[in-house]
Amino acid sequence: MSSFEPERLDDTAFLTEADPAGMLPAVASSGAQVRTSHRGALEAGVSRLSASDRPRAVVIAGVGDSAIAGDMLAAVCGGGVPIPIVTVRSYRLPGWVGAADLVIAVSSSGTTEETQTLALEAVRRGCRLITVGRAGSPLAAIAEQASGLHLPAAPVQGAVRLPRANLWGLTMPLVAVASALGLVEVDTDAIEATAKRLEDIAHRCRPSSESFINPGKTLALEIADTIPMVWGSSPVATAAAYRLATQLNQNAKYPAIWGEIPEADHNQVVALDGPLAQRDIFGDEPSLALRLIVLRDLEEHPQVSKRRAMSVRLAQDRGVPVSEITAEGAHPLERLASLVCLADYGSVYLALGYGVDPTPVSAIAELKARLSQ
C-alpha cells in the first residue's frame, strides 16, 4: 500500500507532474461549464417546453456521473416539486413509466450501453424523450429519429475528457429543462451566482494555495488514512455526499461510505461502536479508522438538525474524528455547487497525496473490455 505524503500537496511541481491529464484544471473549469452548458441548452431549444405541458413524471436515465446529474437535479428542485423526479441506473425502465412521462437520457459520450437501451425503451413506450450528451452521437441519433430534443453537454476544456470532469456540463441541461417546465426557478442571477461560487472555490483550492488555507487540501489531509463515512443533512447535502464518495472511488481509488440523515442514524451510526471506530496506536502496522464527514445545508428539517448535532457528539464521544462542511450560498444550485466543488478538489488532492494519477480508471476499462468479448 502506498503511503500518503502530506508534503506532496504543497509541491506545485509535483502536483503538475503527478496529474498529467490535468484533473485539477478540469475541476477548475466547473464555473465555465455552468455558463456554457446552460447557454447551450437554451440555444438548442429547451424553451419549447413549458409548464402547461408538464409530464406526469421526469425520469433521468443514466449511470455513473450521468446518474449523479439526475440526483443533483432532484436535489435542486427540492421536496416541494409537484411531480416525481426519478433517476434510473439500469437496463430497464420501471413498469409504470409510459406515454405521460418525460425520459431524459444522459450520457456524456452518447455511447453508454445502458443509457441507449433505456432511451430506446422510452421510445417504444411512447414517452417524450430528451437526450443529453455529445452532438452527433448514437444517443443524439435516437432523439432525432424519435422527434425528440437533444441538448449538448458542453465538453470540458483540456486533456481530461471524462464524464466525472464534466458533471456541470451534464447537470445544467437538466436544470434548464426543469426550469422551463416550471419545476424550479433558476434565473440568470442564480446561474451566475453558481458559476461565481465555483470560481471562488477554484481560487481557494488552487494548487499554489498552501494546505493550511486550502479547503480542498485540508479535506484530503483529513480523509487520508481513514475510512470516510460521509453523511448529508438535506437532499442537497446528500447528493454532494454521494458525489464525494464516488469521486474518492474514481479519482483516489479509495473506499468511502455515504448516507443521509436521518436514515444513517438507523444503521450506519452503529459503526461508531465497531472495530474500525478506534485507531490502534500501538499496532505494528498502519491501521485505518473511521472518520465521519458531515455535509451540512442551510435548509435542514429541524429534527434533522437535532439528529446531526447528536450524531456528531456521539462520534466525538467515541474518539471518532469529525469533519463538518457547510454549504454556501442562497439558491439550492449554488449551495450544491459549493459542496460538490470542494468534494472534487478533496478527492483529487487525496489521490495526489498518495501518488496516484487521478485520471485513469483501469478497473472500469478492464470490466468493459471483458464484457465486450
Side-chain angles (χ1 to χ4, degrees):
M1 175 180 174
S2 60
S3 61
F4 184 85
E5 298 183 19
E7 62 275 9
R8 287 170 168 164
L9 299 187
D10 290 328
D11 184 340
T12 53
F14 172 82
L15 294 177
T16 300
E17 180 182 347
D19 183 22
M23 187 62 77
L24 282 174
V27 177
S29 74
S30 297
Q33 290 178 31
V34 166
R35 295 187 182 95
T36 303
S37 289
H38 186 261
R39 183 171 60 249
L42 298 180
E43 292 172 351
V46 76
S47 58
R48 299 182 209 167
L49 307 171
S50 67
S52 62
D53 197 23
R54 184 180 292 166
R56 179 182 60 176
V58 174
V59 180
I60 313 300
V63 292
D65 299 283
S66 299
I68 291 176
D71 296 339
M72 289 172 59
L73 173 67
V76 170
C77 289
V81 67
I83 64 174
I85 299 176
V86 180
T87 299
V88 178
R89 298 166 158 91
S90 68
Y91 286 94
R92 298 194 65 179
L93 293 171
W96 57 264
V97 176
D101 305 308
L102 169 64
V103 173
I104 310 177
V106 186
S107 167
S108 183
S109 66
T111 61
T112 306
E113 178 188 33
E114 298 94 327
T115 308
Q116 290 185 73
T117 300
L118 291 175
L120 290 169
E121 185 176 357
V123 173
R124 287 194 297 270
R125 295 193 190 186
C127 304
R128 295 164 61 188
L129 179 66
I130 294 175
T131 57
V132 177
R134 181 172 56 82
S137 66
L139 185 63
I142 294 172
E144 182 179 354
Q145 293 164 8
S147 299
L149 175 64
H150 178 74
L151 302 177
V156 63
Q157 300 301 311
V160 179
R161 304 283 178 170
L162 299 172
R164 69 181 185 274
N166 194 28
L167 180 63
W168 294 103
L170 298 171
T171 301
M172 294 312 298
L174 304 184
V175 171
V177 169
S179 181
L181 291 173
L183 302 179
V184 64
E185 185 176 344
V186 184
D187 57 18
T188 55
D189 288 342
I191 298 297
E192 188 58 24
T194 300
K196 287 183 176 179
R197 179 70 60 179
L198 289 165
E199 289 168 345
D200 174 65
I201 295 172
H203 177 71
R204 289 155 53 195
C205 293
R206 66 194 185 279
S208 62
S209 175
E210 295 183 343
S211 296
F212 68 95
I213 57 170
N214 185 319
K217 293 180 181 180
T218 298
L219 180 59
L221 289 166
E222 292 175 348
I223 293 174
D225 297 331
T226 73
I227 299 176
M229 192 158 61
V230 190
W231 294 353
S233 65
S234 73
V236 163
T238 300
Y242 181 57
R243 171 66 171 180
L244 174 55
T246 61
Q247 285 290 80
L248 290 172
N249 297 158
Q250 294 186 83
N251 287 333
K253 288 66 179 173
Y254 201 87
I257 305 159
W258 70 279
E260 179 177 11
I261 302 172
E263 174 64 16
D265 281 341
H266 293 270
N267 37 63
Q268 292 183 24
V269 71
V270 183
L272 299 176
D273 288 326
L276 299 181
Q278 292 289 341
R279 187 185 301 273
D280 182 7
I281 61 175
F282 300 107
D284 294 330
E285 298 293 331
S287 61
L288 294 176
L290 286 177
R291 171 176 280 274
L292 179 61
I293 301 174
V294 178
L295 303 186
R296 301 176 52 177
D297 192 11
L298 302 178
E299 294 185 5
E300 297 175 346
H301 188 282
Q303 284 301 106
V304 169
S305 295
K306 185 176 180 179
R307 281 181 169 272
R308 171 181 49 72
M310 291 299 101
S311 298
V312 167
R313 187 175 305 171
L314 205 66
Q316 292 171 335
D317 288 346
R318 285 157 172 75
V320 174
V322 179
S323 301
E324 291 191 79
I325 302 170
T326 303
E328 302 172 344
H331 194 279
L333 183 66
E334 183 183 358
R335 300 201 310 274
L336 178 61
S338 72
L339 294 175
V340 166
C341 194
L342 183 56
D344 290 353
Y345 271 108
S347 66
V348 176
Y349 281 127
L350 183 69
L352 297 174
Y354 276 109
V356 172
D357 185 344
T359 300
V361 281
S362 301
I364 294 176
E366 181 178 345
L367 181 60
K368 287 182 177 180
R370 292 189 179 191
L371 288 170
S372 65
Q373 293 177 358

